[in-house]
Structures are given as C-alpha cells and as structure tokens.
C-alpha cells in the first residue's frame, strides 16, 4: 500500500472510531456484527449495503485491512441489523467480484463515501439464514 493510501486509511479509520459508536445506536442504521477474532466478543460496525432476496451485499472500503473483514476471516458467522431487525448469516468475501460495479447497486450515499474514501475495495455477501 502506498504512503498516500496509508495516510488515507489512518485518517478515515480515526474518524470512524469516533463516529461509529454514535451511528450504530441509530435504530434504523444497518449494522454488521462479527465476533472479535482475539477477544471473542461481539463487534458492531455500521455499514451500508442492500438486502437482495436471502443475501445482504456490502463493500468494504479497506478490504482485508478492515477489522470486521479480519473478524469474518476468522469466523464467518455474523448478524446483520436491517431496518431494526437482526438476521443471522454467513459472510463470504468475494475478491473476484467487481466492487465498483457492485456499489452501483447499493445505497447511493454510502456507495459514494466508500468509493471516495476507500483504498482497497472488497465485496462481501452475507447469506441470511433467518
């Protein structure tokens, strides 16, 4: 990763660490819950994405550098809060998917931010079980 991308990652993640605890409390905010790969405790991250049938799609702006992606790699069992309701599922990292094309089908505001701030986009599909 380039120095510029490293700086961008540091700035964005520093901002997100301060803002995410507030955003994830909003009742209708979509939230991805993973299990901490070291701690084993639930970790909740506000995300943007879209449910399509029995799947929920999102794009990570920092790919494998995102903590929630690392947690998924360790344990793909997740929960997603969509429109205030929790759903269990299994997350799949899709490095061969075109994340920029995928963003065109996801909510515009979040997709614009991910496109603008991201340095290593990665598509994630969560197969919902309930």
């Amino acid at each position: 990763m380039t120095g510029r991308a490293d700086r961008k990652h540091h700035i964005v993640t520093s901002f997100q660490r301060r803002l995410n605890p507030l955003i994830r409390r909003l009742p209708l905010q979509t939230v991805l819950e993973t299990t901490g790969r070291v701690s084993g405790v639930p970790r909740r991250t506000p995300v943007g994405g879209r449910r399509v049938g029995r799947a929920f799609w999102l794009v990570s702006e920092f790919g494998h550098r995102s903590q929630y992606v690392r947690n998924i790699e360790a344990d793909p069992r997740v929960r997603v809060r969509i429109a205030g309701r929790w759903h269990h599922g299994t997350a799949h990292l899709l490095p061969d998917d075109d994340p920029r094309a995928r963003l065109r089908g996801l909510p515009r505001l979040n997709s614009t931010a991910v496109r603008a701030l991201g340095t290593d986009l990665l598509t994630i599909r969560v197969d919902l079980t309930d």
Side-chain angles (χ1 to χ4, degrees):
M1 197 169 272
T2 68
R4 182 173 184 219
D6 285 337
R7 283 190 303 279
K8 192 176 194 181
H9 177 261
H10 176 74
I11 291 167
V12 172
T13 56
S14 294
F15 179 73
Q16 287 174 336
R17 277 190 202 104
R18 290 174 179 79
L19 189 62
N20 282 356
L22 302 173
I23 292 176
R24 69 177 169 235
R25 293 174 202 249
L26 298 173
L28 295 180
Q29 171 64 48
T30 302
V31 175
L32 175 69
E33 182 182 84
T34 60
T35 301
R37 64 193 175 284
V38 176
S39 68
V41 300
R43 300 293 185 189
R44 293 182 175 175
T45 305
V47 295
R50 174 164 284 139
R51 182 176 183 163
V52 178
R54 302 290 303 151
F56 180 80
W57 293 86
L58 68 141
V59 174
S60 168
E61 68 265 57
F62 296 115
H64 294 279
R65 292 184 76 181
S66 294
Q67 297 302 315
Y68 69 88
V69 170
R70 290 174 163 181
N71 290 342
I72 289 169
E73 289 175 317
D75 182 355
R77 294 172 298 167
V78 301
R79 290 194 321 154
V80 184
R81 187 177 73 192
I82 306 167
R85 183 169 175 260
W86 285 101
H87 303 270
H88 290 87
T90 303
H92 304 275
L93 306 179
L94 304 173
D96 294 331
D97 190 68
D98 180 349
R100 293 198 178 274
R102 182 69 56 193
L103 285 170
R104 288 193 285 277
L106 300 180
R108 184 173 298 177
L109 180 62
N110 180 263
S111 293
T112 300
V114 168
R115 209 176 289 109
L117 301 174
T119 58
D120 187 22
L121 305 181
L122 175 65
T123 301
I124 301 168
R125 184 189 74 235
V126 178
D127 294 333
L128 302 172
T129 57
D130 62 352

